[in-house]
Structures are given as C-alpha cells and as structure tokens.
Amino acid sequence: MAAQPLYTVEEYLAFERANDERHEYIDGLIYPVGECPTQPDVLGNHADISANLVGLIHEQLRDSPCRVRTKDTKVRSGPTQRRMMKGLFSYPDVVVICGEPQYHDEHRDVVINPAVIIEVLSESTEARSRGKVSSLPDLEPALTDYVLVSQIAPIIEHFERRPDGSWSYHVYDKIEESFTVKSINCTLKLSDVYARIVFPEESDEE
C-alpha cells in the first residue's frame, strides 16, 4: 500500500476550502470526516447522543459567556507551523467556546479557542479520537476538557486539564452517575446524555 501523502497546514486549508466535503488534519495527514457504521442504529445513536449533549449544555450555559456549537464548527486545537506538517484541525461533535470566538486567519472559518471538546465515538473515528489524547499536552491553552462518549455502552471518559498543565482522567460507566465539567460549570448525568438510546446488546435481547 502506498504511503499517504503529507500536507502542510496551508496546503490542508487550501484543499479543505476548495472541497464540499469536510476533512480533519493531524500532523500532515488528511482524513475525511464522516460516519461509516455497519449498523444503521449506531448512526441514530450518534445523532441522538450529540443532540442530547448540545441541549443539556446549552441550557446550562444560557447566562454564561460560553456557547455550545455542533460539529459544523472546525477548530484548531493544537499548535501549528503553517509551512510545516504540524497541527490538529477537526470538527468535534460538540464544542464549547468561552468568550468571543477567535479565528486562525482572515477566512474566519477555524476557531482557535475551544474550551471543551466532546467526541461521540464511532467505528470510523474512534481510533483517531483516541489518538488525539496523546496530543493533549500540546493542545491550545484555552482547551480545558476533552470528553469521549461511547455510543455502544454508557461510558464517558473525561480528560481535564489541571492548573499545572497536566491532565487528569476519569471514566464514568454507570447510567446513574453524573460528572461536572468545572471549567464551564456544567453537570451531565449519564441518564440524560443517553436518553432514548437503545444499546446494541439491549436491542439483541428484545
């Protein structure tokens, strides 16, 4: 198999802006954004969980300087060197921005001050989402929380930036549990995040 070509940040942005389809960029490599589930129900779970998260967070941010956006927002969450193959650009399923959005350049199509990124894991993106964890020490200073949400079981992983810049890790795997994203003062109950979700094993038992 031929090696995948590498691109600079500038080449990626030019390519992305000329295409109708969306792509992520991780240190020189370009990946198409999209769901490729083998089970249609899984795609539905992804959409429902994402909608639940946006609704829950939006309500709690109503009187705060932060806002929640869906995966239509492209963010730069890692340091970049424009003419070199280094950087992280993605379309998170859910992103919270605190204060006014700041942008990568005059095109104003890449937000560079995400505070919270939430990814709903899927077959086609889980490995890539987990791979970003290794980049946490180098991510933008504005980013305080990185959350991974399973769609096949009630499991949420929360990476939280400590004051010294290191990251803590917590996992929640009981439907009656809840956790707080302290940086934006939002509490999420797993029962609310997974409202109306039927997990694959539950569906098989019916």
Side-chain angles (χ1 to χ4, degrees), residues 161-191:
R161 193 193 294 267
R162 298 189 181 103
D164 65 0
S166 63
W167 291 79
S168 63
Y169 171 76
H170 305 277
V171 60
Y172 306 91
D173 57 6
K174 296 179 177 60
I175 198 67
E176 66 272 14
E177 286 189 288
S178 64
F179 69 101
T180 299
V181 183
K182 299 174 185 175
S183 63
I184 56 173
N185 195 30
C186 282
T187 297
L188 299 174
K189 299 178 181 178
L190 269 69
S191 58

Side-chain angles (χ1 to χ4, degrees), residues 4 7 12 21 53 61 69 92 119 132 152 163 168 183 186:
Q4 187 174 349
Y7 299 85
Y12 158 71
E21 297 182 354
L53 285 163
L61 294 181
R69 288 184 175 177
E119 298 280 12
K132 294 171 188 174
I152 61 173
S168 63
S183 63
C186 282

Side-chain angles (χ1 to χ4, degrees), residues 22-59:
R22 299 178 302 174
H23 302 80
E24 293 188 337
Y25 177 89
I26 304 176
D27 292 343
L29 297 174
I30 294 177
Y31 302 92
V33 174
E35 285 282 330
C36 299
T38 58
Q39 304 176 44
D41 288 346
V42 174
L43 181 55
N45 280 359
H46 188 285
D48 287 341
I49 292 169
S50 298
N52 288 344
L53 285 163
V54 170
L56 293 166
I57 295 172
H58 173 75
E59 184 62 29

Side-chain angles (χ1 to χ4, degrees), residues 76-97:
R76 187 191 82 192
S77 48
T80 65
Q81 299 177 34
R82 295 193 178 195
R83 291 178 174 80
M84 298 183 68
M85 297 162 191
K86 179 72 174 176
L88 176 55
F89 294 76
S90 63
Y91 292 86
D93 291 304
V94 181
V95 59
V96 176
I97 304 164

Side-chain angles (χ1 to χ4, degrees), residues 104-123:
H104 176 76
D105 58 22
E106 67 278 3
H107 289 274
R108 296 174 64 85
D109 58 353
V110 181
V111 172
I112 63 172
N113 60 325
V116 179
I117 286 176
I118 303 178
E119 298 280 12
V120 180
L121 301 176
S122 67
E123 282 184 277

